[in-house]
Amino acid sequence: PSFSFLTITTTDRKTFKTPRRPYEKERLDAELKLVGEYGLRCKREIWRVQYALAKLRKAARTLLTLDPKDPTRIFEGAALLRRMSRYGLLADDELDLDSILLLTTQKLLERRLQTKVYKQGLAKSIHHARVLIRQRHIRVGNQLVNVPSFNVRTSSEKHIDFSTNSPYGQGPPGRVAKKRAASRAAAGDDEE
């Protein structure tokens, strides 16, 4: 939407691309497996990641067609590789444009906040991780994040924790804990 009085101009762009053949058995099975493994809400979440990956690979392919000494390839290639390493998609020993073409959907899905919360043991399951994030219990650094698809940088990986005002962190007790404490207190009064 664009507002003239606020000068906010954001153009809506495509975020995913639907499969060309909707009922291909192998693809459907593979997608269902990914949805279960990474606790995704719907297939669109996979298609979104695949679309992002396609754009990365396209950029790498375009740069590879240029001459190695071309200033565009040197400048944009370095920027692309720096971004890849910052998000932990490429290791330090594989920082070249060819390795971008070898990236997989799973590699991108591994970098999601939902996956990281589960792998770090903050949640009991991948689905529990998603619920914790949506219910605002998780922060990255000092920033509360409630988007399960948030891409975690390697630098902020060790700063994933429960938010300060979450009952799981050092916040006040939650609704159920308060209720139980009140019933215990009531039971304690009855005994006296």
Side-chain angles (χ1 to χ4, degrees), residues 58-162:
K58 187 179 182 186
R61 262 201 319 274
T62 311
L63 290 172
L64 279 167
T65 59
L66 300 172
D67 182 61
K69 291 189 172 52
D70 190 311
T72 309
R73 177 169 169 172
I74 293 166
F75 185 74
E76 288 183 16
L80 187 61
L81 292 170
R82 194 165 48 245
R83 201 161 72 235
M84 296 290 100
S85 74
R86 187 186 296 145
Y87 282 103
L89 295 169
L90 293 179
D92 292 333
D93 57 334
E94 52 184 20
L95 282 179
D96 56 340
L97 290 172
D98 289 314
S99 48
I100 293 178
L101 300 177
L102 300 173
L103 282 175
T104 59
T105 311
Q106 284 92 321
K107 191 104 175 174
L108 266 77
L109 289 170
E110 283 292 334
R111 300 303 308 170
R112 284 165 54 95
L113 179 62
Q114 183 181 354
T115 315
K116 290 289 167 199
V117 167
Y118 172 56
K119 295 267 168 89
Q120 287 186 9
L122 294 175
K124 296 183 185 116
S125 72
I126 195 88
H127 306 290
H128 184 219
R130 191 178 184 102
V131 171
L132 285 178
I133 295 164
R134 279 308 294 163
Q135 292 178 355
R136 303 165 61 87
H137 290 296
I138 302 293
R139 67 186 162 114
V140 179
N142 293 327
Q143 183 66 52
L144 188 142
V145 183
N146 69 339
V147 181
S149 64
F150 176 82
N151 281 322
V152 182
R153 294 180 174 190
T154 44
S155 56
S156 40
E157 219 169 315
K158 50 190 161 294
H159 301 298
I160 298 172
D161 200 12
F162 290 115

Side-chain angles (χ1 to χ4, degrees), residues 173-191:
R175 178 180 58 86
V176 177
K178 282 182 196 164
K179 201 172 171 184
R180 283 192 184 138
S183 65
R184 272 198 217 105
D189 292 344
D190 293 344
E191 286 172 13

Side-chain angles (χ1 to χ4, degrees), residues 139 161-173:
R139 67 186 162 114
D161 200 12
F162 290 115
S163 61
T164 47
N165 54 3
S166 161
Y168 294 106
Q170 50 270 24

